[in-house]
Amino acid sequence: MLLALALLSAPITSPGAEAQTAIIVNRSNALSDLKLDDARRYFLARVTELPNGEKVAIAELVPMRSSFYKKLLGVAPNEVKRHWLQMVFVGRTQQMPAELGDPAAVKKFVAEHAGAIGFIPVGATDETIKVLRIDGKLPSDADYPIK
């Protein structure tokens, strides 16, 4: 009975909502370090090609989307989605971000698409993808800019 009461009074959070975030790319991608402003440009479809000409494909981890966009852009996901719809409408990009439900799906998408950029919890990273440095910092660094 006490356990049930404790569970009912616990705050409800989405999985990974407060987890440290890693921005990831395909292992073959030449990118290894992004400026924070460049990361923002990719996630807002203001830049739609990588330096090598590959088309960018964004992979969103839905359970982390709200906290990620708040940290990176300072806006709610519905504002980001509205922006992307506008970018598609005006022909700036043809593809909305892939909305994926778990880190494994994001990693699979990124591993299968050379131009993919996504975000997952740091604890879900592995050798199938590459974690980008942001302004020279890894997510494990104390002064990582996406906190």
Side-chain angles (χ1 to χ4, degrees), residues 7-19 62-64 66-67:
L7 290 173
L8 288 174
S9 64
I12 298 173
T13 59
S14 59
E18 295 304 318
V62 173
M64 286 187 75
S66 182
S67 66

Coordinates of all heavy atoms in Angstrom, one line a residue, residues 7-19 62-64 66-67:
L7 N 4.4 5.6 -5.5 CA 4.4 5.6 -7.0 C 3.4 6.7 -7.5 O 3.7 7.4 -8.5 CB 4.1 4.2 -7.6 CG 5.2 3.2 -7.4 CD1 4.7 1.8 -7.9 CD2 6.5 3.6 -8.1
L8 N 2.3 6.8 -6.9 CA 1.3 7.7 -7.3 C 1.7 9.2 -7.1 O 1.4 10.1 -7.8 CB 0.0 7.5 -6.6 CG -0.8 6.2 -7.1 CD1 -2.0 6.0 -6.2 CD2 -1.2 6.3 -8.5
S9 N 2.5 9.4 -6.0 CA 3.0 10.8 -5.7 C 4.3 11.1 -6.4 O 4.7 12.3 -6.4 CB 3.1 10.9 -4.2 OG 4.2 10.1 -3.8
A10 N 4.9 10.2 -7.1 CA 6.1 10.5 -7.8 C 5.8 11.4 -9.0 O 4.8 11.2 -9.7 CB 6.8 9.2 -8.3
P11 N 6.7 12.3 -9.4 CA 6.5 13.2 -10.5 C 6.5 12.3 -11.8 O 7.3 11.4 -11.9 CB 7.6 14.2 -10.5 CG 8.6 13.6 -9.6 CD 7.9 12.7 -8.7
I12 N 5.7 12.7 -12.8 CA 5.6 12.0 -14.0 C 6.6 12.7 -15.0 O 6.4 13.9 -15.2 CB 4.2 11.9 -14.6 CG1 3.3 11.2 -13.6 CG2 4.2 11.3 -16.0 CD1 1.9 11.2 -14.0
T13 N 7.5 12.1 -15.5 CA 8.4 12.7 -16.5 C 8.5 11.7 -17.7 O 8.3 10.5 -17.6 CB 9.8 12.9 -15.9 OG1 10.4 11.6 -15.5 CG2 9.8 13.8 -14.8
S14 N 8.8 12.3 -18.8 CA 9.0 11.5 -20.0 C 10.4 10.9 -20.0 O 11.3 11.5 -19.4 CB 8.8 12.3 -21.3 OG 9.7 13.4 -21.3
P15 N 10.6 9.7 -20.5 CA 11.9 9.1 -20.5 C 13.0 10.0 -21.2 O 12.8 10.5 -22.2 CB 11.7 7.8 -21.3 CG 10.3 7.6 -21.6 CD 9.6 8.9 -21.3
G16 N 14.1 10.2 -20.5 CA 15.2 10.9 -21.0 C 15.0 12.4 -21.0 O 15.8 13.2 -21.6
A17 N 13.9 12.9 -20.4 CA 13.6 14.4 -20.5 C 14.7 15.2 -19.9 O 15.0 16.3 -20.4 CB 12.3 14.7 -19.7
E18 N 15.4 14.7 -18.9 CA 16.5 15.5 -18.3 C 17.9 14.9 -18.6 O 18.9 15.3 -18.1 CB 16.3 15.6 -16.8 CG 15.0 16.4 -16.5 CD 15.0 17.8 -17.1 OE1 16.1 18.5 -17.1 OE2 14.0 18.2 -17.5
A19 N 17.9 13.9 -19.4 CA 19.2 13.2 -19.8 C 20.1 14.2 -20.5 O 19.6 15.0 -21.3 CB 19.0 12.0 -20.6
V62 N 11.6 11.7 -30.0 CA 10.3 12.4 -29.6 C 10.3 12.6 -28.0 O 10.0 13.6 -27.5 CB 9.1 11.6 -30.1 CG1 7.8 12.2 -29.4 CG2 9.0 11.7 -31.6
P63 N 10.7 11.5 -27.2 CA 10.6 11.8 -25.8 C 11.6 12.9 -25.3 O 11.4 13.4 -24.2 CB 11.0 10.4 -25.2 CG 10.7 9.4 -26.2 CD 11.0 10.1 -27.5
M64 N 12.6 13.2 -26.0 CA 13.6 14.2 -25.6 C 13.4 15.6 -26.4 O 14.1 16.5 -26.1 CB 15.0 13.8 -25.9 CG 15.5 12.7 -24.9 SD 17.3 12.4 -25.2 CE 18.1 13.8 -24.5
S66 N 11.2 18.0 -26.5 CA 10.9 19.2 -25.8 C 12.1 19.8 -25.1 O 12.4 21.0 -25.2 CB 9.7 19.0 -24.8 OG 9.4 20.2 -24.1
S67 N 12.8 19.0 -24.3 CA 14.0 19.5 -23.6 C 15.1 19.9 -24.5 O 15.8 20.9 -24.3 CB 14.4 18.5 -22.5 OG 14.9 17.3 -23.1

